Amino acid sequence: MRLYWALACLGFRRHAAYRGATVAGVFTNTVWGFMIAYVNLALFSSQARVAGYDASDALTYVWLTQGMLMTVAVWYWVDIAQRVRTGDVATDFQRPVDFQGYWLAQDLGRAAYHALFRGIPPVLFASLVFRLRFPSHPVTWLWFLLSLCAAVCVSFSLRFLVNLSAFWIHDHRGVISITSFAFPFLSGLYGIPLAFLPPAVFRVLAVLPFASMGQAPMSVFLERPGTAGTMLLQVFWAAALLALGRLVLRAAERRLVIQGG
Amino acid sequence: MASTAARPHLWLLRASLRAQVAYRLSFALLTVTAALATFMDFLVIGAIFTHLPRLAGWSLPEIGLLYGIAGVAFGITDICVGALDAFPQIIRDGGFDVLLVRPVGTLYQVLAREFAMRRFGKVAQAGAILAYSIAHLHVTWSAPKVAMLASTLVTGPLIFGSVWVMAMTHVFWTVDTGEVANAFTYGGSFLTSYPINVFAGWLRDLLAFVIPMAFVAYYPVLLVLGRPDPVGLPSFTPLLTPAVAAGVVVLAAAVWRTGVRHYRGTGS
């Protein structure tokens, strides 16, 4: 366990090294947050509620998801695929540590850094300009934190699976980049709440694993009805996808051919 | 004579194109991704319109026209100058030193690293929305309107491209803050897909006029639709578009040159 803690700290520190990048990222998320916020406000100028959300709910959704983007980190992530391509992954397999756990621990450390330094600043800034809706029960903060952890686990296991495709496909860029755009959209991290989509579409997306990365933690934060069910579904997807990742990893290990000897 | 001078460039271009299609599955998926990435912006617009008939006074085909023009312009820009996204990496690993000793302009060399044809997916997707919107608009077309629309194919990418260059130039000083540029490039593409009266006053003034994004699609579209400007600028404003585009190109070239002069390398 100490080992995984050390790995998590490593993930945290690795991202803490680039302060300029953090400031640049916060700036960019904030500019986007403003643009998306005003588009949402234009939607609410003619009606008080959309799909059960009022303007404050929607603005809170916009800004928290801007803050969560990097934490849940569903963007382009190729760390494992790159090591498969170069053959370095063979070294990883020899380490006396579980391969999936090795990467998960580092990713959790990274997520903690991004939650603190990329997540909180844009939301704080926005709360000075807009009236956001913060939880009315203090315990909601705890549920939100747990829900966010589950979101990171689901995100990690999906990225892990997509990266493992590099064992079968020689050039991984295509597969990874298509998923890195599809995942944020399907998860509701793309500007408007997933609930604003047509009800039939929303009902399907809400049970898919992607919603666990965006809409689910936001539903918890906004204290929408059904928090317990939402979080159970998140835990189910996290466990199922991590297990699936292990299965695929087993198959990948069996087929491992190290290029160039 | 000119063709002899251009030949090495054509060779490089052909080599670059062949390299890009070497992995067919990846090339196909990357092209689809490029189309999908911007199409999701349109899905968001579509989702908004399931809740109301007009957004800030604009109908769906009208916003589609804005979105289509902005998308095509951004797609062309992305093909031509998208390689700038790798610029911070070039600075970080000292690759810029190599560019400085070659007898060709540095900006051209940075851009020529990749003319990413996969980004054609973006142009195709936005073009389809543009065609759909034009078909559903009730506009009496005239020569000036057609000319205005056609000129956006040139002025739009010039404005986007110049802003992209200027937004990236600061990396000469700060090295690891390349992401700031995203706010102006991809952010600009998002902004120009909406009528600017959606945004609050200060944001609108900053992004639309200081960074003249409003001239990519918004003002040309006002002329095509024959609408007065809700912001209150005079009716000849759309006609200033070519001048604005030329102005930012000159400015971007000057800004880039200043950056190159201040380049000191990262010591790596």
Side-chain angles (χ1 to χ4, degrees):
Chain A
M1 212 55 218
R2 284 244 312 267
L3 173 68
Y4 291 108
W5 177 251
L7 282 168
C9 292
L10 196 73
F12 186 98
R13 279 208 304 271
R14 198 167 107 184
H15 289 270
Y18 302 102
R19 280 206 204 117
T22 300
V23 174
V26 167
F27 173 80
T28 302
N29 288 143
T30 307
V31 172
W32 274 102
F34 272 112
M35 291 195 298
I36 302 171
Y38 285 118
V39 169
N40 273 272
L41 282 176
L43 170 59
F44 282 93
S45 64
S46 58
Q47 53 206 311
R49 301 188 89 79
V50 175
Y53 284 67
D54 63 16
S56 261
D57 294 334
L59 288 177
T60 310
Y61 191 103
V62 166
W63 282 101
L64 260 92
T65 47
Q66 276 301 306
M68 277 161 52
L69 268 179
M70 280 305 283
T71 310
V72 180
V74 274
W75 302 117
Y76 199 73
W77 186 71
V78 288
D79 290 16
I80 297 177
Q82 206 80 274
R83 295 182 72 79
V84 174
R85 195 176 163 84
T86 56
D88 292 340
V89 74
T91 329
D92 296 343
F93 282 156
Q94 282 165 6
R95 293 203 174 105
V97 48
D98 179 68
F99 183 78
Q100 196 186 34
Y102 170 79
W103 288 101
L104 176 60
Q106 289 190 63
D107 202 57
L108 289 173
R110 174 206 59 76
Y113 175 78
H114 282 147
L116 285 174
F117 294 95
R118 291 285 300 264
I120 294 175
V123 177
L124 273 185
F125 189 69
S127 65
L128 301 176
V129 182
F130 298 104
R131 208 167 55 83
L132 303 185
R133 187 182 177 284
F134 289 103
S136 50
H137 304 290
V139 71
T140 304
W141 286 101
L142 178 68
W143 294 132
F144 174 67
L145 202 65
L146 292 174
S147 178
L148 194 59
C149 286
V152 175
C153 289
V154 171
S155 154
F156 168 78
S157 28
L158 284 172
R159 283 179 284 126
F160 186 76
L161 280 166
V162 174
N163 268 258
L164 289 186
S165 75
F167 278 101
W168 286 271
I169 303 168
H170 280 294
D171 185 19
H172 55 258
R173 290 175 308 165
V175 177
I176 294 185
S177 67
I178 204 162
T179 54
S180 69
F181 275 103
F183 288 174
F185 183 77
L186 296 171
S187 56
L189 290 168
Y190 211 80
I192 56 168
L194 220 45
F196 287 10
L197 295 176
V201 180
F202 174 61
R203 269 197 298 275
V204 175
L205 289 181
V207 290
L208 293 182
F210 312 110
S212 292
M213 300 186 287
Q215 176 74 49
M218 282 317 302
S219 295
V220 172
F221 190 85
L222 292 170
E223 299 169 321
R224 315 282 303 167
T227 298
T230 306
M231 290 186 65
L232 278 177
L233 189 62
Q234 278 188 296
V235 172
F236 164 76
W237 278 123
L241 289 168
L242 282 172
L244 183 63
R246 298 194 83 82
L247 280 177
V248 176
L249 179 65
R250 192 99 10 102
E253 278 169 346
R254 270 200 300 274
R255 106 158 241 125
L256 178 66
V257 178
I258 296 153
Q259 297 186 14
Chain B
M1 189 60 207
S3 71
T4 334
R7 200 169 291 160
H9 298 292
L10 290 179
W11 286 338
L12 284 173
L13 191 62
R14 223 174 65 199
S16 154
L17 293 184
R18 295 239 300 260
Q20 287 177 45
V21 294
Y23 293 102
R24 260 162 235 216
L25 175 66
S26 266
F27 183 74
L29 286 177
L30 287 167
T31 308
V32 173
T33 305
L36 209 70
T38 43
F39 185 59
M40 287 185 303
D41 288 334
F42 194 73
L43 284 181
V44 169
I45 296 173
I48 289 173
F49 272 92
T50 62
H51 299 284
L52 41 75
R54 299 177 91 79
L55 182 68
W58 292 60
S59 70
L60 182 58
E62 288 169 347
I63 292 201
L65 186 63
L66 272 177
Y67 171 90
I69 292 175
V72 170
F74 187 71
I76 295 173
T77 313
D78 207 2
I79 291 174
C80 299
V81 308
L84 272 174
D85 277 351
F87 175 64
Q89 188 61 40
I90 298 177
I91 291 287
R92 200 173 307 136
D93 60 22
F96 197 76
D97 294 351
V98 181
L99 306 190
L100 280 173
V101 298
R102 292 195 191 134
V104 191
T106 48
L107 182 57
Y108 174 76
Q109 291 184 69
V110 172
L111 301 185
R113 290 196 154 205
E114 193 187 26
F115 291 108
M117 289 319 291
R118 59 171 184 272
R119 295 180 178 122
F120 190 73
K122 240 177 235 191
V123 180
Q125 181 269 326
I129 302 281
L130 184 59
Y132 166 87
S133 306
I134 290 175
H136 285 79
L137 277 173
H138 306 288
V139 171
T140 29
W141 289 95
S142 60
K145 287 182 179 178
V146 175
M148 185 88 250
L149 192 64
S151 71
T152 59
L153 289 177
V154 179
T155 52
L158 284 178
I159 296 173
F160 269 141
S162 306
V163 170
W164 206 322
V165 168
M166 287 190 274
M168 264 303 173
T169 304
H170 79 279
V171 171
F172 277 115
W173 286 272
T174 55
V175 187
D176 63 350
T177 54
E179 207 189 328
V180 163
N182 287 358
F184 300 101
T185 56
Y186 299 97
S189 145
F190 178 88
L191 178 98
T192 44
S193 312
Y194 288 89
I196 60 169
N197 53 325
V198 162
F199 302 101
W202 64 271
L203 186 69
R204 183 188 66 209
D205 295 344
L206 175 73
L207 291 168
F209 303 114
V210 179
I211 305 160
M213 290 292 185
F215 289 88
V216 170
Y218 180 74
Y219 280 112
V221 164
L222 281 187
L223 185 131
V224 169
L225 297 178
R227 284 189 172 215
D229 180 14
V231 181
L233 289 190
S235 61
F236 63 80
T237 311
L239 302 176
L240 298 177
T241 307
V244 170
V248 282
V249 168
V250 171
L251 193 63
V255 168
W256 178 264
R257 229 168 287 136
T258 315
V260 173
R261 255 202 305 279
H262 283 80
Y263 171 69
R264 296 169 154 219
T266 50
S268 52

